[in-house]
Amino acid sequence: MSVLSTKRTLISSLALSASLALGGTVAAEPSKITPEKINDTAARVMDAYTVPGMVVGIVEGDQVVFAESYGVQEVNESAPVTEKTLFKIASVTKNFTTAALALLVDQGKINWDDPVIDHIPEFRVQDPWITRNFTIRDLLIHKSGLGLGAGDLMFWPTPNDFTREDILNGLRYLPMEGGFRTKYAYDNILYVIAGELTERVTGQRWETFVEEHLMRPLGMEYCFAGPVPDEYKKHIAQPHGWLNEEPTVVRRDFADDYLTSAPAGGIRCSLQAMTKWMKMHNARGAYVTENGEQKQLISAQQHAEMWSPQTIMNVGSRAYEWDNTHFAAYGLGWRMHDVDGLLRIHHTGTLHGMNAYLSFFPELDTAFLVLLNRSHSDARTAMMQTLIKAYTDAPERDWLAAVQEWREQVSQRRAASFEEPETSPVTVEQAARVVGEYVDPWFGHVSVTWQDNKLRWTSHRSERMAGELFHVKGDTFAARWDDRTHHADAFVRFTSSLRGDIEGMSMAPIDPDADWSFDFEDLNFSKQPQSE
């Protein structure tokens, strides 16, 4: 982390120039926390979690009062993170998708409570009545009745060949595990469909519409919803996971393709651009052009609608202990809860190798941003808690130490309750019983094959979903994925008919705390007849 050390010595001289470069009215420093405190916390967090690169921003009203970059775009490389570095902001993208829809509401082209089938006639879920009554609002508020992360395997892990048409077709096969509009269960698939709806209404790709009608009016030059132009690719931060006891680029980001999942989590954005997004939201949808003209990007009415509670969420013990939180809710692309008596509007973003965190305190007219190119939610939490707690006038606390203590407690509880299953090599007889072709109605074809005395599970459509099967007991096996950055090995249970013949396959994560985007529970494979 030599780049970080070097930059630390230059911070005081860079603070003013960073604010000027980001286009804000210059303020000497944040009103509630010193730059030295932020920089010290950033250094400690990056060291504790081996974060290659990070940016931190604070916007008070229309002033960028802190904007600093740390570390490198890629481990073991020299290119530093700057205000132009492009980070994947993951699910922070969702509030761009809802903002695009808010524009269309302002233009009179849609209403939040329009049935989706009015705009996408082929839209279907399992229940016909729910299909007819499923609204645009229902796409955005995470209480559709789908299970947590339903259908995520159609766009994760990348690369795969699923399209948005595949997602629309596959939606009808996903089980409605909860009652319609009854409880919170986070999903990504419906935000992809919200992006498709934007395309149906405007005739433009979602990516093009977001860039032309949201990013460019605000002057967000270093921010892209679609592929990154060649001249900007030198600014891409590479995603890092943890492999072989060190941060490792998990899958190089070339930023060449349109991502199927983009409306749910595909935007790449910089500190330079995100501070402009923050100023617009501080101003409740308004912005100032380069010529000094005041304009309204999103009407104050629709901005208020996005920041209005729609779905009640549970308040966890950590939120109550740390933040004195009494309510939590989801709006339209935003989470909200109270922190030390103040309203907080926020969203996190988590992708393989990238983390993001964006928070607003409307009563303080202040916004906070943390972006990093490492898979570690504790790093972003420790950094964000340090920033926001200075503004809520909470008692002084070492938030890095608090997060580490909490994680240790969680790890101890998990260690006491979770054990890896005992497995053994697969015999020829066991393999012969289960080899074949299997099909799930939304995930597609999977082959179970016997190769070089190993039983293999291979997806036809998602190339990184492949691995070796090990025997557990009976017709139950454990899939150990070839890509060890998945951290989501799975039980594979082959089902049989009353005659004892294998007729299908179901799956479940071995680790109950594995990333829920590995949506194994919703898979229901049927074994295909053997061709003659």
Side-chain angles (χ1 to χ4, degrees), residues 94 140-143 148 181-187 191 306 308-320 325-338 343-348 357 516:
K94 289 181 170 64
L140 310 172
I141 61 177
H142 302 303
K143 59 175 178 180
L148 180 66
R181 298 176 183 160
T182 60
K183 64 179 182 179
Y184 175 84
Y186 192 87
D187 71 76
Y191 269 81
M306 290 192 293
S308 297
Q310 306 286 327
T311 300
I312 300 300
M313 299 169 61
N314 291 330
V315 175
S317 59
R318 186 180 75 166
Y320 184 79
T325 296
H326 296 83
F327 97 96
Y330 201 91
L332 302 178
W334 295 96
R335 297 188 183 101
M336 52 204 67
H337 67 276
D338 58 311
L343 176 64
R344 179 189 185 196
I345 311 290
H346 65 109
H347 215 292
T348 54
Y357 210 154
W516 40 258

